Amino acid sequence: MEWHDIQNPDDKLLDELAARYSLHPLHVEDCRQDAQRTKAETGEGYLFISLKQMAFDDSGRLATGDLALFVGGDFLLTIHRAPVALLEPLRAAKGELHPDQVLYRVMDAFVESYIPLVERLESSIERLEDVVVGAPRPTVLENIGEARSTLLELRRVLNGTRHIVVQLRHIPGPLINQELSPFLRDVQDDLAIILDNIGADRDRLAGALDLYMSSIANRNAEATKTLTLLGTAALPGIVITSIFGMNIEYPSWVKSHSMFAIVMMTSLAVTLFLLWYLRRKDYLPGGTTSGSTNN
């Protein structure tokens, strides 16, 4: 088997190999374009496959890289820009493997590399669930949005990879040995399990978002309730003082030196009675239901 690993898609070597193995120009063009979708296509005497390598970068965001493969009966081309570490041990054993076996092992290794990403995302969602139960900050909503975007990207890539595996299991001809079908089915099963976990994580993330919105709504309602009760408690004093502050003629006893103390005491008494009543009806924050229960 001849294996050519090209780490620069713009290299002229790719054009030479394309002419040598009669590769379709559109497939060669796909190798040189970034952000290709995950796919598998049949060429004239070869298979063209585009896979996604995914990893979290230092900032915690999901980074993706393309790996294109041309799989023929006696040759294999791998084209990529970013380093693909899992290719090194396979290249060391290329004399013992056929192109379709290398393809299977590459796909199996890629699927295995997706599992830690999903596990890390699950841990992140668990932390978000713990945070939204308390008093979440506005940054929590941003974190939920980032986790949702990562989930969508993972699901998109995994769905495309599963579609490739299904295609490979049913491709007629000698390019894919039928003995690999059980192994490809095992890869398909692994992808199905990961996708099920992603579906469950998506539901958990939606639940975390609902909890966040409910928590914010409850905090706003509690703040509104507190301000309303404070305004209600201040109302008796405002009414009483406004009566004595009107520009009208009052009886002579109103001008007594003790009237100020009487007004203040009356306002305080009415306010305390109102607070006691609100507390008894369990309207104040932190109140109990004992008053309403006894009634």
Side-chain angles (χ1 to χ4, degrees):
M1 176 186 69
E2 295 187 31
W3 185 347
H4 303 275
D5 185 53
I6 302 176
Q7 301 186 15
N8 181 12
D10 299 322
D11 196 332
K12 294 297 182 181
L13 178 60
L14 178 57
D15 296 320
E16 297 174 3
L17 294 174
R20 177 179 174 182
Y21 295 115
S22 301
L23 306 180
H24 198 283
L26 290 178
H27 292 157
V28 176
E29 182 182 352
D30 288 344
C31 295
R32 288 172 171 163
Q33 292 181 348
D34 296 328
Q36 283 294 312
R37 67 179 180 88
T38 306
K39 61 182 178 180
E41 297 178 353
T42 304
E44 189 172 338
Y46 68 89
L47 293 175
F48 173 69
I49 297 171
S50 177
L51 298 175
K52 289 288 185 182
Q53 180 179 224
M54 295 187 294
F56 285 107
D57 57 19
D58 296 336
S59 62
R61 297 182 180 275
L62 189 66
T64 60
D66 295 325
L67 172 65
L69 301 96
F70 291 93
V71 182
D74 57 353
F75 72 90
L76 176 67
L77 274 67
T78 52
I79 302 97
H80 53 93
R81 295 186 187 275
V84 183
L86 58 88
L87 293 179
E88 297 304 322
L90 296 176
R91 284 179 57 82
K94 64 180 182 179
E96 306 171 2
L97 300 173
H98 294 287
D100 57 348
Q101 293 175 328
V102 175
L103 173 61
Y104 154 70
R105 296 195 180 192
V106 168
M107 297 199 64
D108 184 58
F110 266 56
V111 173
E112 291 293 332
S113 69
Y114 298 154
I115 296 177
L117 304 180
V118 177
E119 291 177 347
R120 177 174 173 176
L121 191 58
E122 288 177 348
S123 300
S124 177
I125 293 175
E126 288 178 359
R127 290 193 296 269
L128 287 174
E129 288 177 331
D130 294 336
V131 171
V132 297
V133 172
R137 297 180 178 272
T139 55
V140 174
L141 184 60
E142 180 180 352
N143 295 334
I144 292 176
E146 292 178 357
R148 182 176 180 274
S149 299
T150 304
L151 271 178
L152 292 175
E153 179 66 14
L154 277 171
R155 187 179 65 173
R156 184 181 66 84
V157 173
L158 289 169
N159 276 325
T161 306
R162 182 171 61 174
H163 185 64
I164 290 176
V165 175
V166 173
Q167 284 182 275
L168 294 178
R169 290 184 58 197
H170 299 90
I171 286 179
L175 293 177
I176 301 296
N177 195 322
Q178 292 302 313
E179 293 180 357
L180 288 177
S181 182
F183 298 96
L184 292 173
R185 184 174 63 246
D186 181 67
V187 175
Q188 183 180 350
D189 291 340
D190 291 340
L191 286 168
I193 293 173
I194 299 175
L195 285 169
D196 288 342
N197 292 336
I198 288 180
D201 292 337
R202 183 181 58 181
D203 294 338
R204 291 173 57 191
L205 194 60
L209 180 60
D210 291 340
L211 285 174
Y212 172 81
M213 300 306 295
S214 298
S215 178
I216 295 299
N218 289 337
R219 289 172 60 187
N220 292 337
E222 188 69 20
T224 303
K225 176 182 177 182
T226 301
L227 292 175
T228 303
L229 292 173
L230 289 176
T232 304
L235 186 60
I238 294 174
V239 172
I240 294 174
T241 54
S242 63
I243 292 176
F244 287 91
M246 290 187 296
N247 189 18
I248 60 176
E249 187 69 25
Y250 291 98
S252 58
W253 58 268
V254 175
K255 300 180 180 180
S256 172
H257 296 290
S258 60
M259 182 52 62
F260 176 77
I262 294 174
V263 171
M264 295 301 297
M265 294 297 294
T266 303
S267 301
L268 181 61
V270 175
T271 301
L272 291 177
F273 172 78
L274 181 59
L275 290 174
W276 170 82
Y277 180 80
L278 294 175
R279 179 75 173 181
R280 181 177 178 83
K281 294 297 183 180
D282 198 23
Y283 291 143
L284 294 180
T288 63
T289 56
S290 58
S292 58
T293 304
N294 293 333
N295 289 340

